[in-house]
Amino acid sequence: MEKIKMTTPLVEMDGDEMTRILWGMIKEELLLPFLDLKTEYYDLGLGCRNDTNDQVTVDSANATKKYGVAVKCATITPNAARMDEYKLKEMWKSPNGTIRAMLDGTVFRAPIVVKGIEPCVKNWKKTITIARHAYGDVYKASEMKIPGPGKVELVYTAEDGTQERELIHNFTGAGVVQGQHNLKDSIESFARSCFTYALDVKQDLWFATKDTISKKYDHSFKDIFQEIFDAEYKDAFENAGITYFYTLIDDAVARVMKSEGGYIWACKNYDGDVMSDMVSSAFGSLAMMTSVLVSPQGYYEYEAAHGTVQRHYYKHLKGEETSTNSVATIFAWSGALRKRGELDNLQELVDFADKLEHACIKTIEDGKMTKDLALITSLKNPVVLNSQEFIQAIRKTLEESL
Ligand code: NAP
Ligand code: MG
């Protein structure tokens, strides 16, 4: 069989621990035999980040801006224990944080739905994708404990020295206060990333805040989304047959629980933190969660939502068998390959990405899976495979479909 051609390289960001082992196996078994794989390789493994003073992370983000599409393996975010383990010069920042800041993007997380791994919410038939705003609000708040009676105010001092004040509270006893902020630019980027992604996957976009109570803060989020939608995306949404739907956050939560899924739910920072854990755990497994960073300019970086699966890696190092689920990492590759195919007009590459995803789903639905899924499946007598056998089983299913 002739290998499928690519014209533009994918930005390949290798990573750490068990996911790095899976990364190699996925390329060996599922990509290189079928594709004339073109990538520009960046080693984001902690050793190389340390050797290059983290320059490699910056270079990989710049390459993503140049080519438009990246695929990333999970990476270690260093903590005190990692400083010793990897003899680090510095406690390097999270690569995901660095890349997100450079691309100014929003992260979209969606579960992979298969028969036999049913969501706890029985009416959820299709995926619910959470888009979380990644800047500001309570995560960048200033707080104070108020010891006793006194007046607390918000004060804005403009560059020319003029001031505006707003009373928070006249305290008659002890209490607490908090000052939050967000930025127009950041909210606009968030909105554009959401509208871009909704058009990309042709799904409705939902957004919710508490604008009835927060008439300036939350209402600004609502207004900015609506203004950008009306000015830049309305026609495209109509042509794509999708809708933008705004409601109050409590109404959104009630509707989500009763819905059958199949939409993107844009959330303010705190709502996204809470709701993404709810949605992912209700859908079954962290190992079946995909993640894509979308910049307002339309750059894409695909990855799995889970980490480097450290516990399995230590078993692997001891020569013990592992049964680590590679599906989310495979979907990171298929997502990136599909996007590359769409941008470069390579239908064969798009079809290959579809078949690769289908092969993962069919393998599991045929009862062959890793241990994490075997523990939660409703299928009778699942066959539990080790990390390598599972990838080889997917290869067999894939070959049958090609
Ligand atoms: P983790 O790698 O997500 O794994 C936590 C646990 O979840 C595992 O021990 C395993 O449970 C289960 N699990 C996760 N993915 C799995 C898979 N593909 N197949 C089977 N089971 C899976 O989180 P962590 O152990 O807390 O973090 C390890 C490292 O990952 C940390 O250094 C952290 O900084 C990094 N991290 C990176 C990213 C990223 O790059 N995007 C995200 C999160 C964390 P059992 O042990 O019970 O089998
Ligand atoms: Mg959380």
Side-chain angles (χ1 to χ4, degrees), residues 137-250:
D137 302 350
V138 70
Y139 301 88
K140 282 226 186 277
S142 304
E143 305 183 316
M144 244 190 246
K145 282 191 175 175
I146 304 302
K151 185 168 76 170
V152 179
E153 291 177 306
L154 289 175
V155 182
Y156 163 65
T157 310
E159 278 180 326
D160 67 4
T162 55
Q163 290 195 331
E164 214 178 298
R165 285 165 185 272
E166 183 73 37
L167 177 71
I168 294 180
H169 194 63
N170 258 319
F171 284 85
T172 53
V176 285
V177 288
Q178 184 183 64
Q180 295 189 18
H181 81 279
N182 220 300
L183 306 172
K184 188 161 180 266
D185 278 355
S186 177
I187 303 167
E188 287 177 353
S189 292
F190 175 46
R192 289 198 175 91
S193 294
C194 291
F195 292 130
T196 302
Y197 189 70
L199 281 172
D200 198 41
V201 295
K202 295 203 170 40
Q203 286 187 350
D204 292 345
L205 178 70
W206 294 18
F207 181 44
T209 72
K210 197 69 184 172
D211 66 273
T212 46
I213 301 296
S214 171
K215 290 192 167 66
K216 287 185 183 145
Y217 198 106
D218 276 21
H219 214 291
S220 295
F221 279 78
K222 177 185 179 180
D223 291 344
I224 288 171
F225 265 68
Q226 195 63 51
E227 279 157 24
I228 290 182
F229 178 72
D230 290 342
E232 300 172 30
Y233 294 93
K234 203 174 182 167
D235 294 343
F237 266 55
E238 251 172 49
N239 293 336
I242 58 174
T243 55
Y244 167 56
F245 172 59
Y246 178 86
T247 186
L248 282 171
I249 185 69
D250 38 347

Side-chain angles (χ1 to χ4, degrees), residues 22-152:
L22 298 178
W23 197 260
M25 290 180 191
I26 291 167
K27 285 175 72 177
E28 194 62 38
E29 295 281 348
L30 299 175
L31 303 176
L32 294 171
F34 311 104
L35 296 180
D36 208 358
L37 185 67
K38 267 197 170 68
T39 73
E40 195 166 291
Y41 180 86
Y42 293 86
D43 186 357
L44 267 54
L46 189 48
C48 182
R49 278 183 273 149
N50 192 51
D51 290 344
T52 63
N53 297 328
D54 211 21
Q55 185 59 38
V56 67
T57 307
V58 173
D59 292 345
S60 73
N62 280 324
T64 307
K65 286 185 176 175
K66 177 175 168 193
Y67 293 112
V69 188
V71 55
K72 181 178 170 292
C73 181
T75 47
I76 293 168
T77 300
N79 55 16
R82 301 298 197 168
M83 296 290 289
D84 293 338
E85 187 182 355
Y86 285 83
K87 313 239 171 325
L88 300 180
K89 298 186 235 176
E90 249 182 66
M91 202 184 283
W92 306 110
K93 282 190 272 180
S94 145
N96 290 56
T98 302
I99 295 165
R100 196 164 61 210
M102 285 182 65
L103 300 184
D104 187 20
T106 298
V107 174
F108 296 80
R109 279 175 135 211
I112 299 156
V113 177
V114 297
K115 286 193 206 86
I117 314 288
E118 269 78 36
C120 311
V121 182
K122 63 179 188 306
N123 44 283
W124 286 359
K125 303 275 184 273
K126 301 177 205 161
T127 58
I128 297 169
T129 302
I130 300 272
R132 174 183 171 188
H133 186 210
Y135 181 84
D137 302 350
V138 70
Y139 301 88
K140 282 226 186 277
S142 304
E143 305 183 316
M144 244 190 246
K145 282 191 175 175
I146 304 302
K151 185 168 76 170
V152 179

